[in-house]
Amino acid sequence: MADRSGSAADGRGPRASRPQNIRNVVLVGPSGSGKTTLVEALLVESGVLNRAGRVEEGTTVSDHDEAEARQQRSVNLDVAPVWVGDVKVNLLDTPGYVDFVGELRAGLRAADAALFVVSATDGIDGRTRLLWEECAVLGMPRAVAVTKIDHHRADFAGVVEQCREVFGPGVVPAYVPVMTGEGDERSVGGLLGLLSQRYHDYSSGSRVEGEPPEELVARNEELRTELIEGVIQESEDETLMDRYMAGEDLDRAMLVADLEAAVARGGFHPVLALSALSGVGVAELRAELPLACPSPAERPLPPFTRADGRPAPALSCDPDGRLLAEVVKTVTDPYVGRVSLVRVFSGTLRPDTVVHVCGHGSAARGRQDHEADERVGPLTVPTGRRTDPVGAVVAGDVCAVAKLTRAETGDTLSEKDAPLCMTPWAFPDPLLPTAVHAVHDADEERLVQALSRLTSEDSTLRVEVNPETHQMVLWCMGEAHLDLTLDRFSNRYGVAVETDAVRVPLRETFSVESRGLGRNVKQSGGHGEYGICRIKVEPLPSGAGVEFVDEIVGGVVPRQYVPSVEKGVRAQMELGVLSGYPMVDVRVTLYDGKAHSVDSSDMAFQKAGRLALKDAAESTRVCVLEPVDLVSVLVADDCMGAVMSDLSARRGRVVSSEPAPGGRILIKAEVPQLEIARYAVDLRSLSHGTGAFSRDYLRHEPLPTQLAHRYAEAAEGEGIAAGRR
């Protein structure tokens, strides 16, 4: 049984005492489909709230962040537990907008089942289809909730048919809405349970359950037959089909039990009809959640190893086992400090105990491996902004842990004497770069601190300082993600930030062989400067780097000054000779020169080396090189033409295209970095939100002459070249 005793005063809020009494359900769906409103309705139905909040007013439990209230959309993963009898159901509300996919992935990691929320007015978008496929790969049980069925534009039957086309034949309605009225007067009179053959009448404004009218049963007999046959096919009772074909009247309770078992195994996906605003279907959904969704004890644990990478002993979802938990999300509270949302997979997490924090395997996201022992602070059960203290959290449950200063999103919590490390879940790479800087110089340090905290919270946010352009570049998932980050700079950390276009690190090189004379002679009395050198500069293949060759014969340049010439040449290469960009892929040969017994010095020959390289550049054409990336684009087949045309317009060269799973095409192209700074935004528009891409540096290539002149003028205008010289 679940332990629902205790109070905040004694540190024991309502909690489940064993995994069998826990359900973790993540709500997934497009932005605007009604996930947050549905959570509000379930909280009201469960008695947690007296009155449902509204997204438009910023009063919902899930969207309690100030940015969410302003934008009127979810941007964070939030937890809202509800009780159904003795079963605790943790509702994980995720953002529907694609920019906040990191919050969605965190919700999938913490959940054991997914409820896909689809609007009866808008249907399914391409992004939802991809998420369905992702859950299928994970083997996660799924059900569908069609919301807004009382809207005058609602088409429940059409959306169900669309779900079957997109998600597969395992999607079958379990409830059918019965509509009354026409047009704007159209409303839901009730719901018919196809399997239970019970009618839930909502026409009076409250829910009344009874026997359905005969004509209603007859009208939906075909749907009921389809549902029963689907349940029988998924049933573990092999005699059920024979009994059904023989015309035997099957027990309703047995069919309902088989349906729930099929959903928990992931082979069957019932569709429920509801309206969260009017409350229609909410009670039915609440009753089905603990029955159709598997408990954590029925789901396998994510892969894990010892902290040193060696295989670890097997664990299960056992409250008495070794501790294995994961930080699925971190936030910074202005009053409490860092708060970690933790899913416990094995063992029991208790406050005031020391645990081992392990974060490995995220180097690709710019995170350094780290380990530390930390003392667990107070444990609470979050319900939006409100938190209820709890004494201990068993395997399978979700809680919030305060003051884990070293723990970041994705870190593993385990016993300090038996440290473990869970395999990190997959995060997409942020591919929209924006340069940022503090408006006031005094805020630069605060900006760095704010970035450190934000990147520890958000695994889809990456920061890098470009050593060549000296810009601080913020990599985000998209414009909405960038806007949210900038909002948090100003409203959470009080730092005024400005954005700049990201400067692409160009290069310079020699296109043909050239020779140069460096003459640094200053003899005006006293100790002067004397250094003369002659060099030959030859182009090398892309990626070859810089070579310096000494061909001095007869000591015309003394041995001790040859390194001085090389130092001067390399210093000038770093500054460039045309537009202030570093020079690469050349071989410089020192073959002649002169020295003075008194006035020659290390500095004199360094200056001579600089002058020689500049002189060689004046007598030939110096090329500007631009970086080229290998871009891999994954899109639906019907978007292939538009994407390839767009890549060509960006001076890209398509290398290959090949079929990919799910009816998609993988296109590979070589595209200059100058042309893809905002490709994350443009591809989303071209592919209707379903496209994805990755980019990897390939090489530097000559920039077309007309563009080279344009960027040279821009560099001069910004003072880059002058500053470097």
Side-chain angles (χ1 to χ4, degrees), residues 53 112 114 148 204 222 232 246 251 258 270 299 320 346 381 420 448 524 555 604 607 629 656 684 713:
D112 300 303
K148 305 180 184 180
S204 64
E222 184 178 343
I232 291 174
D251 180 61
D258 282 342
R299 297 283 297 159
D320 297 323
S346 173
V381 176
L420 302 172
V448 173
S524 58
K607 291 181 179 179
D629 284 356
S656 65
R684 189 174 298 167
E713 292 172 0

Side-chain angles (χ1 to χ4, degrees), residues 122-313:
D122 302 322
I124 303 168
D125 61 3
R127 179 64 185 165
T128 305
R129 175 184 176 180
L130 296 180
L131 291 174
W132 183 276
E133 295 174 357
E134 184 175 333
C135 290
V137 171
L138 296 173
M140 181 173 288
R142 285 146 285 155
V144 180
V146 178
T147 61
K148 305 180 184 180
I149 59 173
D150 54 351
H151 195 278
H152 68 276
R153 291 193 297 106
D155 182 8
F156 177 79
V159 169
V160 170
E161 187 60 32
Q162 184 187 19
C163 288
R164 300 193 66 180
E165 293 176 359
V166 175
F167 297 155
V171 176
V172 180
Y175 289 87
V176 175
V178 179
M179 311 304 296
T180 61
E182 297 293 337
D184 292 342
E185 302 297 325
R186 190 166 178 259
S187 63
V188 182
L191 295 176
L192 172 64
L194 292 177
L195 207 55
S196 66
Q197 287 290 275
R198 302 293 291 173
Y199 182 63
H200 309 279
D201 190 347
Y202 285 90
S203 59
S204 64
S206 59
R207 178 175 177 267
V208 179
E209 184 176 338
E211 292 292 330
E214 292 184 3
E215 66 274 12
L216 182 60
V217 174
R219 192 164 66 241
N220 292 282
E221 185 61 32
E222 184 178 343
L223 285 176
R224 185 172 190 269
T225 300
E226 184 180 8
L227 176 61
I228 292 175
E229 290 178 353
V231 172
I232 291 174
Q233 290 177 359
E234 293 291 332
S235 175
E236 296 180 346
D237 186 351
E238 298 179 356
T239 67
L240 204 58
M241 179 61 77
D242 296 334
R243 291 157 54 194
Y244 176 73
M245 297 300 294
E248 181 179 336
D249 189 14
L250 302 178
D251 180 61
R252 293 180 184 177
M254 178 189 64
L255 288 174
V256 171
D258 282 342
L259 170 62
E260 292 163 354
V263 175
R265 288 195 302 270
F268 204 71
H269 316 292
V271 180
L272 296 94
L274 53 91
S275 170
L277 288 177
S278 64
V280 175
V282 176
E284 287 77 10
L285 173 61
R286 176 173 174 261
E288 292 293 338
L289 286 175
L291 300 173
C293 299
S295 72
E298 300 173 70
R299 297 283 297 159
L301 269 60
F304 62 93
T305 63
R306 299 180 193 269
D308 57 8
R310 294 182 295 127

Side-chain angles (χ1 to χ4, degrees), residues 410-610:
D411 285 2
T412 305
L413 307 182
S414 58
E415 297 174 1
K416 65 174 184 176
D417 298 329
L420 302 172
C421 185
M422 302 183 72
T423 303
W425 68 90
F427 280 102
D429 291 329
L431 293 168
L432 179 65
T434 304
V436 296
H437 69 272
V439 175
H440 307 291
D441 292 342
D443 286 342
E444 285 293 343
E445 185 175 348
R446 295 175 62 194
L447 173 61
V448 173
Q449 293 175 351
L451 284 170
S452 176
R453 292 176 181 174
L454 288 174
T455 52
S456 68
E457 297 175 13
D458 187 351
S459 295
T460 60
L461 190 65
R462 181 161 53 89
V463 179
E464 65 179 27
V465 178
N466 192 304
E468 297 179 26
T469 64
H470 306 289
Q471 286 183 311
M472 183 179 292
V473 181
L474 191 64
W475 290 83
C476 300
M477 297 301 302
E479 290 181 313
H481 191 202
L482 173 62
D483 291 343
L484 176 65
T485 304
L486 296 177
D487 179 89
R488 285 176 172 165
F489 282 139
S490 58
N491 291 294
R492 184 187 293 183
Y493 299 105
V495 179
V497 174
E498 288 184 344
T499 61
D500 299 309
V502 176
R503 293 194 291 268
V504 174
L506 304 179
R507 303 281 190 274
E508 297 176 357
T509 193
F510 281 72
S511 56
V512 295
E513 180 182 315
S514 180
R515 295 174 183 262
L517 167 65
R519 180 180 176 85
N520 178 35
V521 178
K522 297 180 181 178
Q523 294 175 304
S524 58
H527 187 72
E529 293 184 7
Y530 192 99
I532 299 176
C533 63
R534 294 181 181 273
I535 61 171
K536 177 176 65 176
V537 185
E538 306 166 85
L540 293 177
S542 177
V546 175
E547 297 180 13
F548 185 86
V549 180
D550 174 16
E551 289 187 357
I552 292 297
V553 179
V556 291
V557 176
R559 291 290 93 194
Q560 67 268 28
Y561 296 137
V562 171
S564 303
V565 176
E566 179 180 0
K567 188 174 181 180
V569 168
R570 290 185 180 274
Q572 188 60 49
M573 285 183 174
E574 287 295 321
L575 299 176
V577 295
L578 179 65
S579 305
Y581 302 117
M583 182 165 286
V584 295
D585 302 331
V586 293
R587 178 189 293 120
V588 178
T589 303
L590 174 63
Y591 65 91
D592 197 7
K594 290 183 179 180
H596 190 277
S597 58
V598 175
D599 293 337
S600 291
S601 64
D602 168 69
M603 185 55 66
F605 274 97
Q606 283 191 44
K607 291 181 179 179
R610 287 173 177 265

